[in-house]
Amino acid sequence: MSVLDRYALSRRRLLGVFGASAVTALAIPLESGKALAQVGFRSYPFQLGVASGDPAPDGFVIWTRLAPEPFEIGYGMPMAPVAVEWEVADAANMRTIVAKGTAIAPPELGHAVHVEVGGLQPGRDYWYRFTVGKERSIVGRARTTPALGAALDRVRFAVAGCQHYESGYYTAYRRLAEDNPDFVFCYGDYIYEGRGNRMYTGLGGPQENVRQHFGGEIYALDDYRRRYAQYKMDADLQAAHAAAPWFTVWDDHEIDNNWVGDLDQDGTDPKLFNLRRQAAVQAYYENMPLRASSFPVGTSLQIYRRAAYGQLLNLNLLDTRQFRTDQPCDDKYGASCAEIDAPKAQVMGDAQEKWLNDGLTGSKATWNVIAQQIMMMDLDRLPEAGRNVNPDSWAGYSIPRVRLLKTIRDRKVGNVVVLTGDEHQNFAGDLFLDGAKAEGAPIASEFVVTSITSGGDGNDQRLDMAKLQAANPILKFNNNQRGYAICDVTPKTFTTEFKVLDSVRRTDGKLSTRAKWALEAGKTGIVQA
């Protein structure tokens, strides 16, 4: 049964299917007698750029959202559906069109367009654009995944996330676009939900943010739409979206800091918090290049999913927020309590856990990647005060963590790599059932990728992290600068290159490679490359 069948969405809520036989274009069907709006724009309607995502061997999603006046009520659009033409070409000059059609941008979805393009050739680049009347978007590049089971020499992709708007400029995204990756894995915290603040308190006293959020903390759908608009209007972020297809998942700030299930950090009545969740979930779908299988249903969104890159790599994208039980130890960082070993604790939920286990066990790929949000290494965060963990990481949920690692070990799943964000730092290390004992060979390895901007400029390594790394032998590398990672994958090696900026408080920050760490196929444990 498909996700859409399982959620049993009605035709008034589902995306309709129309277009040429080789192409599937998704759009909300018009109600009987409801006319399309003929729009003349006083401002450029493609202020938020274009994006592609969720590639497959025969196609991908292409996305845009019409918003000529992004911060105004109604964002400059009539409350009526608008027809948007789209084209896909085999070269950047858009001379040879291989697919085209018309999609409907409905007001119910903030005039967002999600087109699922099919019928294309596997493992190659395509380019796309949108047109409304006399207005035309920029051209974006997408890339299909290789044919199922294809033998590949290489896949090269980027990992990024945690892009707090006030903390810095998105120079890292401009450099990421120039790296020309096959795809981008965005691990979450695409937006931050807090109010606009001119100042923040840094280590050296009061500091001024380089730019400021529009408005207060966000709760309603229009609030979330405006916040996404502010982020997406950044030209460097638009460049990264236009450079490659993205696989996106959320973490916490797309809704509220450290939320899990129907619980927020403030103890809000779940009925009220779910109203906020519903608004945030809709806004997330409206602004991401997601397929119809991720269409929101109330507070729910299907974002755990899988993609294959031939025989070389299986990518398992997780959701570690929606199905998780409450954080232990009152969610206090560096805490220790009996709840960490709660037998009924969940990180993924039963259905997602079974899906992941089955996917890992049945994989024939050389590399099995778990692409997710929160650190899986069970680091002792305060080594001078006994063993203490971050309860908002996998270390706060010892039973499901050990259960997953035992599955990988006992079912002999080879070459497992975990990709993580959330920490606003770079980490590289190995995974054991118990990181303090680190008995036997590593079961898997983990690369934690730093933030695009969150945390500000940073430094090479925080003082407390030198002690932490010394007390946690499983941790091989740590760095406290901003940037992204490039993962270069071949049948023999999986190499992660940590790219960092000397500053995000300036638009001319210099990018460099801080370190490279690698795994060799068939062997365990990371080594410096």
Side-chain angles (χ1 to χ4, degrees):
M1 181 179 292
S2 72
V3 172
L4 295 182
D5 289 333
R6 179 151 41 92
Y7 286 131
L9 298 178
S10 69
R11 284 185 60 82
R12 295 185 66 184
R13 300 180 65 201
L14 283 181
L15 298 178
V17 179
F18 61 95
S21 59
V23 179
T24 302
L26 299 179
I28 293 290
L30 294 177
E31 296 178 9
S32 178
K34 192 171 184 179
L36 293 173
Q38 301 300 314
V39 184
F41 299 103
R42 65 182 182 184
S43 300
Y44 185 58
F46 299 107
Q47 298 272 5
L48 310 186
V50 301
S52 67
D54 278 18
D58 68 338
F60 36 72
V61 178
I62 57 175
W63 169 95
T64 193
R65 181 175 161 237
L66 305 179
E69 305 291 342
F71 295 145
E72 288 188 2
I73 295 174
Y75 46 90
M77 291 295 294
M79 288 301 103
V82 175
V84 180
E85 296 177 0
W86 56 269
E87 298 174 308
V88 175
D90 63 0
N93 59 21
M94 301 296 293
R95 289 177 182 170
T96 304
I97 304 300
V98 298
K100 64 180 181 179
T102 301
I104 304 302
E108 294 90 342
L109 280 179
H111 289 95
V113 174
H114 301 74
V115 179
E116 291 190 16
V117 183
L120 304 179
Q121 296 300 309
R124 63 151 296 169
D125 290 341
Y126 290 92
W127 287 261
Y128 62 94
R129 67 188 177 193
F130 298 90
T131 304
V132 179
K134 297 180 180 179
E135 305 282 0
R136 179 171 285 171
S137 75
I138 63 172
V139 173
R141 166 187 170 261
R143 182 174 179 82
T144 52
T145 62
L148 295 177
L152 299 182
D153 294 330
R154 187 185 192 194
V155 171
R156 188 171 175 276
F157 65 94
V159 183
C162 288
Q163 52 197 51
H164 192 281
Y165 184 82
E166 297 185 329
S167 296
Y169 296 107
Y170 291 163
T171 311
Y173 272 131
R174 181 69 63 170
R175 301 288 89 82
L176 183 155
E178 294 166 357
D179 264 324
N180 200 38
D182 293 323
F183 67 88
V184 177
F185 164 52
C186 179
Y187 57 69
D189 288 348
Y190 190 97
I191 63 167
Y192 281 70
E193 78 285 10
R195 71 182 182 187
N197 288 297
R198 186 176 67 87
M199 307 286 288
Y200 72 98
T201 302
L203 294 177
Q207 303 285 332
E208 188 164 6
N209 283 316
V210 298
R211 48 190 182 176
Q212 189 172 336
H213 279 148
F214 176 86
E217 185 162 350
I218 54 178
Y219 291 91
L221 178 58
D222 284 346
D223 299 335
Y224 281 99
R225 282 175 174 168
R226 277 189 287 269
R227 186 60 55 86
Y228 276 103
Q230 186 168 23
Y231 279 58
K232 283 182 164 291
M233 288 171 73
D234 185 280
D236 293 336
L237 177 55
Q238 288 194 19
H241 273 298
W246 286 39
F247 290 100
T248 65
V249 294
W250 59 25
D251 194 15
D252 54 340
H253 289 288
E254 287 87 353
I255 297 179
D256 185 43
N257 182 53
N258 280 16
W259 75 277
V260 292
D262 60 1
L263 304 172
D264 73 358
Q265 63 178 349
D266 302 315
T268 303
D269 185 327
K271 295 191 294 296
L272 290 177
F273 179 57
N274 280 340
L275 294 176
R276 183 181 190 180
R277 280 181 67 197
Q278 185 166 330
V281 165
Q282 178 172 338
Y284 183 80
Y285 179 80
E286 288 177 354
N287 287 281
M288 294 295 118
L290 293 167
R291 293 182 178 269
S293 55
S294 295
F295 195 90
V297 181
T299 61
S300 298
L301 188 84
Q302 180 74 29
I303 61 168
Y304 69 82
R305 57 205 191 279
R306 184 174 293 117
Y309 278 77
Q311 299 175 14
L312 184 58
L313 182 148
N314 268 0
L315 184 71
N316 301 278
L317 299 143
L318 302 191
D319 180 348
T320 60
R321 289 287 169 187
Q322 197 169 188
F323 311 106
R324 198 189 330 170
T325 53
D326 198 10
Q327 291 97 337
C329 314
D330 295 323
D331 199 10
K332 183 180 179 182
Y333 183 89
S336 180
C337 65
E339 292 174 279
I340 291 171
D341 300 316
K344 294 184 179 181
Q346 294 277 4
V347 174
M348 297 183 287
D350 291 336
Q352 183 179 191
E353 186 171 328
K354 182 180 185 303
W355 167 88
L356 177 61
N357 290 342
D358 291 346
L360 291 172
T361 303
S363 173
K364 304 299 182 184
T366 300
W367 298 99
N368 294 287
V369 176
I370 301 175
Q372 49 103 56
Q373 300 83 7
I374 53 172
M375 184 183 283
M376 200 171 287
M377 282 183 279
D378 55 339
L379 299 182
D380 181 358
R381 300 286 178 148
L382 299 174
E384 294 179 349
R387 188 163 184 81
N388 298 274
V389 303
N390 175 5
D392 192 46
S393 73
W394 280 86
Y397 299 78
S398 68
I399 300 301
R401 179 186 176 279
V402 167
R403 192 164 59 233
L404 173 59
L405 291 175
K406 280 186 175 179
T407 297
I408 294 170
R409 182 196 65 185
D410 296 347
R411 298 186 186 180
K412 296 180 172 55
V413 182
N415 303 324
V416 175
V417 179
V418 179
L419 298 177
T420 303
D422 184 58
E423 298 279 340
H424 305 171
Q425 296 183 67
N426 289 310
F427 295 85
D430 295 319
L431 295 171
F432 298 83
L433 297 183
D434 185 336
K437 296 179 180 179
E439 296 175 339
I443 296 170
S445 295
E446 182 174 22
F447 299 110
V448 181
V449 178
T450 191
S451 57
I452 290 289
T453 57
S454 301
D457 282 345
N459 51 20
D460 187 66
Q461 190 178 62
R462 286 174 12 193
L463 292 176
D464 60 322
M465 295 307 299
K467 295 179 180 179
L468 187 145
Q469 189 166 336
N472 291 273
I474 61 172
L475 180 61
K476 308 298 184 183
F477 168 72
N478 167 253
N479 164 264
N480 184 39
Q481 292 170 285
R482 309 287 79 81
Y484 61 97
I486 292 290
C487 296
D488 199 339
V489 187
T490 72
K492 293 184 178 181
T493 58
F494 189 113
T495 303
T496 298
E497 180 179 358
F498 293 101
K499 299 208 168 194
V500 299
L501 289 163
D502 64 346
S503 176
V504 294
R505 293 182 61 83
R506 309 188 317 269
T507 58
D508 62 348
K510 183 180 178 182
L511 187 75
S512 63
T513 295
R514 175 61 183 82
K516 289 184 181 181
W517 287 82
L519 281 160
E520 186 176 341
K523 296 184 179 180
T524 59
I526 60 169
V527 295
Q528 196 157 12

